[in-house]
Amino acid sequence: MFTAVLTEGPISRVALARRLDLSSAAVTKAARPLIEMGYLEELAATERTGPGAGRPASPLAIRADREFFVGVKITRDELIGVVCDLRAEVRASAHRRLAATDVDHVLTELGELVDDLLDGPGDYRSRTRRLGVAISGDVDHSTAQVRYSPFLRWRDVPLGERAGKITGLTTSVENDVKALTTAEQWFGEGVGVDSFALVTVGAGIGCGLIVNGRLVSGSHGVAGEIGHIGFDVDGPECHCGSRGCVEAVAGADAIVRQAREGTGRPELTFEDAVTLARSGDAAVGAVFARAGTAIGAGIAAVANLVGPARIVVSGEGLSAYDLFEPHIRASFQRQAFGAAADCPLSIRALPFEQWARGAATVSIKDLVGS
Amino acid sequence: MFTAVLTEGPISRVALARRLDLSSAAVTKAARPLIEMGYLEELAATERTGPGAGRPASPLAIRADREFFVGVKITRDELIGVVCDLRAEVRASAHRRLAATDVDHVLTELGELVDDLLDGPGDYRSRTRRLGVAISGDVDHSTAQVRYSPFLRWRDVPLGERAGKITGLTTSVENDVKALTTAEQWFGEGVGVDSFALVTVGAGIGCGLIVNGRLVSGSHGVAGEIGHIGFDVDGPECHCGSRGCVEAVAGADAIVRQAREGTGRPELTFEDAVTLARSGDAAVGAVFARAGTAIGAGIAAVANLVGPARIVVSGEGLSAYDLFEPHIRASFQRQAFGAAADCPLSIRALPFEQWARGAATVSIKDLVGS
């Protein structure tokens, strides 16, 4: 019930009872302790007019500032942190550069980042008990362990336990794409739909999937690997051992490599490539066009196989989304089968703060589920 | 509870209570009317020995011959029918050639096929109340309507209602790949796993998906379209409007077309192509190799995205599965990402009777669910 008010409220007891298939009395009974603990409140009664209106309704709403949550995204060279309220609205944010990627250094910096966030303006410390950490790679959310993170070269790190000791906060750990997907499911475009997909474009191409209302985890620990769907059987080698994967054409490293080949300039960076493409360089423009085409084909594979209600395409790589977007859309339309092409695509840039918010959302979900 | 005994029985009341998280008393109570109606029976008590063994257990089992079910698969040129018992074991089968594909003709033939099956040896008529029909295309199972079947050129046919009038049986209608998937979920390799995929190879390449224990239907009416995942962005045109789809390389028509091109023999049939490839013709062998590679890449996309516990590859096209199998496996291993390659593949031929059995399974499921 708390989840329904959190994601869909404010909502009247009557609407809530209908939504959850419960009696009004059951809703009132379940709401009482949550109101006493300060998580829910009754809004002022709204007047109803006309015959049969009955007594006025007092919608239930979340008291968003009852508790705060810290979310941190770990990247190879930076920590990005936010403080969110119960509705996952960002109240404060901060960054820290990382001088190294070993676990001890990252944890020390994480502790200082959390202190910066909680002891700054806003008096968050007294109402914050939980921390969520998001990291790319293979994460066991149930034990808060990082099994393997290729970017950081971490293996079997008990991150939740160690971060909990340093910060004094109950710590949840989740794969970064799954964390973002949870944020969209609870507070974004996934609210009220039974299935959706979130595709992230950046160093890697990832995908979080909700099917039949639940996150897809994969029986063998692998799911959402849209980056390793084949796009061009004769295409460039991929780090996974195959050829022509979506990521081998559209990942950030692949774009830089192809732009260097196309221009003959071996020192070119991703930012240089974006600048050249925007200024009309045909060779580099073709690299982004092909990358967008590969991403669109990967997204169409998701639509053809699982048919999500909607798909969000985002990620740090989409700072250049003006270069990708028309090619993603055209390729998706071409490759989506029949009515699968009706699936709405939202294509938008996503600042790193949103990844940190995703991490905070995981800690909110773990509170509500606990 | 009936479903658990049906798919996992014989099973003791104690094991059943544990499996369903119910009390033994609740299981006993739920079982009583099913025993009275003849659907369940208690097997002879098995002796238990040793200390703490308690009283002997009498496992509950399905009385498979309590009721029979007719299943019919409709193809372009033939009807294939079976009689199954409650456990979906095939007791009888029959075929009828179709002289035309219009609805009236097919229904007339369907009525005669059902009569043949029920009035033959076995006295099935008196214990048969239900019929399941499987057909390729877009089917609304809830209303038993065929919305669109491209092979038969049917649109908006109330097949369940019309077949029910002709046969006197309560009729369920389902898409043929979904029907086969249901058969595997209830009585095959899908028993006891939370997710699996069934891939069918033939005129088209299809896929049924179970994720989080439920059939994936697609929010926009499309799901499991593995045949329209991209394989080769520069490949041959596909009837869907795109290029290089799995089906454009590996569908039966595509194989015939490529074999004709490779040999310069425009009259070649699919069977001719199989014979040539088996006798060592290099050009036609390469066509089957490439088709197997495309199918393997499509299956790897399923494993990478949703991570099923296991994948069954089957279908009438796999009468030539000796020609496909090594290429499917090699391509799958190459394209499956990391632990996704651990997903077991079962590759096997599938006679049309099994499609008809799938149709019967849908009618069993509808009985149990009703």
Side-chain angles (χ1 to χ4, degrees):
Chain A
M1 192 196 80
F2 187 67
T3 312
V5 181
L6 185 58
T7 59
E8 298 171 33
I11 183 171
S12 72
R13 286 185 169 83
V14 174
L16 199 55
R18 201 179 308 125
R19 165 79 174 71
L20 300 172
D21 207 9
L22 290 172
S23 68
S24 284
V27 168
T28 298
K29 190 174 165 192
R32 196 174 301 134
L34 291 166
I35 293 173
E36 281 166 10
M37 288 162 69
Y39 285 104
L40 291 186
E41 64 183 345
E42 288 183 300
L43 298 186
T46 51
E47 287 290 331
R48 295 210 231 165
T49 55
R55 51 177 188 162
S58 303
L60 289 169
I62 291 292
R63 278 194 53 205
D65 60 358
R66 167 65 178 78
E67 187 164 340
F68 297 105
F69 302 80
V70 180
V72 175
K73 154 89 171 169
I74 303 178
T75 74
R76 194 156 34 180
D77 47 18
E78 199 178 24
L79 298 179
I80 304 98
V82 296
V83 176
C84 288
D85 64 25
L86 250 173
R87 269 192 206 287
E89 296 288 333
V90 174
R91 301 291 190 104
S93 69
H95 293 219
R96 278 188 96 85
R97 303 296 302 177
L98 291 174
T101 59
D102 61 278
V103 179
D104 288 341
H105 177 72
V106 172
L107 280 165
T108 303
E109 294 293 319
L110 177 72
E112 298 193 7
L113 178 69
V114 170
D115 286 346
D116 288 351
L117 284 165
L118 295 185
D119 298 330
D123 185 29
Y124 299 117
R125 172 79 70 185
S126 62
R127 279 176 285 170
T128 302
R129 295 181 295 149
R130 285 178 176 265
L131 163 67
V133 181
I135 185 168
S136 74
D138 184 2
V139 173
D140 185 343
H141 172 242
S142 67
T143 62
Q145 292 245 349
V146 178
R147 280 191 290 240
Y148 179 47
S149 182
F151 280 109
L152 297 168
R153 296 164 194 252
W154 288 6
R155 276 194 192 274
D156 299 320
V157 175
L159 185 60
E161 187 192 326
R162 293 195 58 184
K165 272 191 193 142
I166 284 182
T167 61
L169 302 174
T170 303
T171 304
S172 306
V173 183
E174 184 56 286
N175 166 274
D176 54 358
V177 176
K178 286 185 179 168
L180 260 188
T181 305
T182 301
E184 287 292 333
Q185 185 188 16
W186 279 48
F187 301 105
E189 301 205 31
V191 173
V193 301
D194 202 41
S195 65
F196 81 97
L198 173 83
V199 176
T200 61
V201 176
I205 318 278
C207 177
L209 272 177
I210 304 282
V211 177
N212 294 336
R214 286 166 54 194
L215 196 64
V216 177
S217 294
S219 299
H220 303 277
V222 172
E225 288 291 351
I226 190 175
H228 299 283
I229 290 180
F231 165 65
D232 177 4
V233 67
D234 302 313
E237 281 183 22
C238 184
H239 63 85
C240 76
S242 188
R243 282 192 164 276
C245 299
V246 171
E247 196 166 300
V249 174
D253 288 351
I255 288 174
V256 170
R257 183 181 42 69
Q258 296 168 92
R260 287 173 179 174
E261 289 167 7
T263 58
R265 289 172 49 188
E267 82 301 345
L268 217 67
T269 64
F270 188 84
E271 288 68 29
D272 295 337
V274 170
T275 306
L276 279 174
R278 284 192 180 138
S279 67
D281 183 291
V284 180
V287 170
F288 280 98
R290 189 167 171 80
T293 302
I295 295 166
I299 294 170
V302 174
N304 289 349
L305 280 178
V306 302
R310 46 178 56 249
I311 299 178
V312 177
V313 187
S314 195
E316 74 270 29
L318 283 189
S319 56
Y321 83 110
D322 53 312
L323 298 172
F324 287 116
E325 180 168 0
H327 307 287
I328 292 176
R329 290 196 184 278
S331 172
F332 174 77
Q333 286 297 323
R334 192 165 50 240
Q335 197 64 48
F337 184 71
D342 297 342
C343 179
L345 296 188
S346 305
I347 304 181
R348 51 179 150 91
L350 186 78
F352 270 124
E353 277 74 14
Q354 292 299 307
W355 293 86
R357 174 176 173 260
T361 307
V362 172
S363 70
I364 296 172
K365 188 179 173 186
D366 287 345
L367 167 69
V368 174
S370 67
Chain B
M1 192 197 78
F2 186 68
T3 312
V5 180
L6 185 59
T7 59
E8 298 171 34
I11 183 170
S12 73
R13 285 186 172 81
V14 173
L16 200 55
R18 199 180 308 123
R19 164 78 175 71
L20 300 174
D21 205 12
L22 291 172
S23 69
S24 284
V27 167
T28 297
K29 189 174 165 192
R32 196 173 303 133
L34 291 166
I35 293 172
E36 281 167 8
M37 288 163 68
Y39 285 104
L40 291 186
E41 64 184 344
E42 287 184 298
L43 298 186
T46 52
E47 286 292 331
R48 294 209 233 169
T49 54
R55 53 180 184 156
S58 303
L60 290 170
I62 291 292
R63 277 193 55 204
D65 59 359
R66 168 63 178 81
E67 187 164 341
F68 297 105
F69 302 81
V70 180
V72 175
K73 154 90 170 168
I74 304 178
T75 73
R76 196 159 29 182
D77 47 18
E78 200 179 23
L79 297 179
I80 304 97
V82 296
V83 176
C84 289
D85 65 24
L86 250 173
R87 272 191 202 286
E89 296 288 336
V90 174
R91 301 290 190 105
S93 68
H95 293 220
R96 277 187 98 85
R97 304 295 301 176
L98 291 175
T101 58
D102 60 279
V103 178
D104 288 339
H105 177 71
V106 172
L107 279 165
T108 303
E109 294 294 319
L110 177 71
E112 297 192 8
L113 178 69
V114 170
D115 287 345
D116 288 351
L117 285 164
L118 294 186
D119 298 330
D123 185 27
Y124 300 116
R125 171 81 68 186
S126 63
R127 279 176 285 170
T128 302
R129 295 180 296 148
R130 284 178 176 264
L131 163 67
V133 180
I135 184 167
S136 75
D138 183 2
V139 174
D140 185 342
H141 171 241
S142 66
T143 62
Q145 291 246 347
V146 178
R147 281 191 291 241
Y148 179 47
S149 183
F151 280 110
L152 298 168
R153 296 167 194 249
W154 288 6
R155 277 194 192 274
D156 299 320
V157 176
L159 186 59
E161 187 192 327
R162 292 196 57 183
K165 273 191 194 145
I166 283 183
T167 62
L169 303 173
T170 304
T171 304
S172 306
V173 183
E174 184 57 287
N175 165 275
D176 54 357
V177 177
K178 286 185 179 166
L180 260 188
T181 305
T182 300
E184 287 292 333
Q185 183 188 17
W186 278 48
F187 301 103
E189 300 205 30
V191 172
V193 301
D194 202 40
S195 64
F196 81 97
L198 173 82
V199 175
T200 61
V201 176
I205 318 278
C207 176
L209 272 176
I210 305 281
V211 176
N212 294 336
R214 285 166 53 195
L215 195 65
V216 177
S217 295
S219 299
H220 303 277
V222 172
E225 287 292 350
I226 190 175
H228 299 284
I229 290 181
F231 165 66
D232 177 3
V233 67
D234 302 313
E237 281 182 23
C238 183
H239 62 85
C240 75
S242 188
R243 282 194 163 275
C245 299
V246 170
E247 196 165 300
V249 174
D253 288 350
I255 287 174
V256 170
R257 184 181 41 70
Q258 295 168 92
R260 288 174 178 174
E261 288 167 9
T263 57
R265 289 173 48 188
E267 82 301 345
L268 217 66
T269 65
F270 187 85
E271 289 67 32
D272 296 335
V274 170
T275 306
L276 278 174
R278 284 193 180 136
S279 69
D281 183 291
V284 179
V287 169
F288 280 98
R290 188 165 173 82
T293 302
I295 295 166
I299 294 170
V302 174
N304 290 348
L305 279 179
V306 303
R310 47 179 54 251
I311 299 177
V312 177
V313 187
S314 195
E316 74 271 29
L318 283 187
S319 57
Y321 85 111
D322 54 311
L323 298 172
F324 288 117
E325 179 168 359
H327 306 287
I328 292 177
R329 290 197 183 279
S331 172
F332 174 77
Q333 286 298 322
R334 191 164 54 240
Q335 195 64 47
F337 184 71
D342 298 341
C343 178
L345 296 190
S346 306
I347 304 181
R348 50 179 152 89
L350 186 77
F352 269 122
E353 276 74 14
Q354 292 299 306
W355 293 87
R357 173 176 175 261
T361 307
V362 172
S363 71
I364 296 173
K365 187 178 174 188
D366 287 345
L367 167 70
V368 174
S370 67

